[in-house]
Amino acid sequence: MRSNLSERLLFLRAFLAHPRRVGAVLPTSARAVGDMLDMADLRRARLAVELGAGTGSHPGPILQRLGTQARLVAFEIDPGMAEALRAKLPDPRLSVVTGSAEDVVGVLDGQRPDVVISALPFTSLPSGVRRTILEGTASVLATTGTLLVLQYSPLIARELSRLFASVSRKVCLLNVPPAFLY
């Protein structure tokens, strides 16, 4: 319980320091994370990438679903949250990159993830940053790969449809606020 409270406080501090970059006051609910991850077959993934790992509401469940030989590369721009994530999840399959998701192409250096997971607040990011991240993600994703996106607004759907051949959507009402899952 104490760990959960300290994570929430760390997340809240990061939000207060950079609200447009963090995009939410609290981490995503376990229900919304589970509903989103159910939209891809992580058991078969060899490489998964998370954009905006935060304090770990997604990486833990992702690692639980990944096979023993799979890897997860998690991007987190906030150094405090990246360090907290490393301490919380000392899993050898996890590599935490302290940096922007804008650098996904360079960091992956030709590697093609089977699944990319993102809860980045795309609608509050500057349009150039949003475009760089989404276009970079589209360029590195494996041909049969899946991009999973969690948002608190449906406004990203149009941009996703422009970049990806097929876009489906679910809504998780058991999250505060309700989450749009793509």
Side-chain angles (χ1 to χ4, degrees):
M1 180 76 159
R2 183 165 177 81
S3 158
N4 192 19
L5 179 60
S6 63
E7 283 178 29
R8 287 175 180 226
L9 289 173
L10 178 61
F11 200 92
L12 178 60
R13 278 195 299 272
F15 172 80
L16 293 173
H18 303 284
R20 290 187 69 176
R21 191 167 73 189
V22 176
V25 177
L26 294 172
T28 307
S29 72
R31 178 59 181 253
V33 171
D35 286 354
M36 181 172 76
L37 296 180
D38 286 345
M39 296 171 75
D41 188 359
L42 283 161
R43 290 181 311 268
R44 294 179 186 233
R46 293 177 315 268
L47 174 61
V49 172
E50 183 182 9
L51 308 176
T55 56
S57 61
H58 289 78
I62 293 167
L63 288 166
Q64 289 174 356
R65 293 173 185 230
L66 285 176
T68 58
Q69 300 302 312
R71 294 183 316 112
L72 171 60
V73 177
F75 286 77
E76 177 49 53
I77 199 167
D78 182 278
M81 286 202 281
E83 189 53 42
L85 181 58
R86 285 184 192 96
K88 178 182 176 180
L89 296 172
D91 189 309
R93 298 172 298 160
L94 174 64
S95 298
V96 178
V97 175
T98 305
S100 174
E102 292 173 279
D103 301 327
V104 69
V105 174
V107 170
L108 291 182
D109 192 29
Q111 298 175 82
R112 313 272 298 171
D114 302 294
V115 181
V116 175
I117 302 101
S118 176
L120 290 173
F122 285 117
T123 55
S124 68
L125 293 176
S127 62
V129 172
R130 178 178 60 246
R131 191 175 322 104
T132 298
I133 293 169
L134 288 172
E135 289 175 357
T137 300
S139 76
V140 299
L141 192 62
T143 307
T144 59
T146 302
L147 169 64
L148 300 174
V149 176
L150 182 144
Q151 296 291 284
Y152 298 116
S153 163
L155 296 177
I156 195 67
R158 185 174 176 188
E159 199 156 357
L160 292 174
S161 294
R162 180 180 65 82
L163 291 167
F164 300 94
S166 173
V167 177
S168 60
R169 181 182 95 171
K170 288 183 180 180
V171 178
C172 179
L173 298 174
L174 299 176
N175 191 69
V176 178
F180 294 90
L181 310 173
Y182 297 93

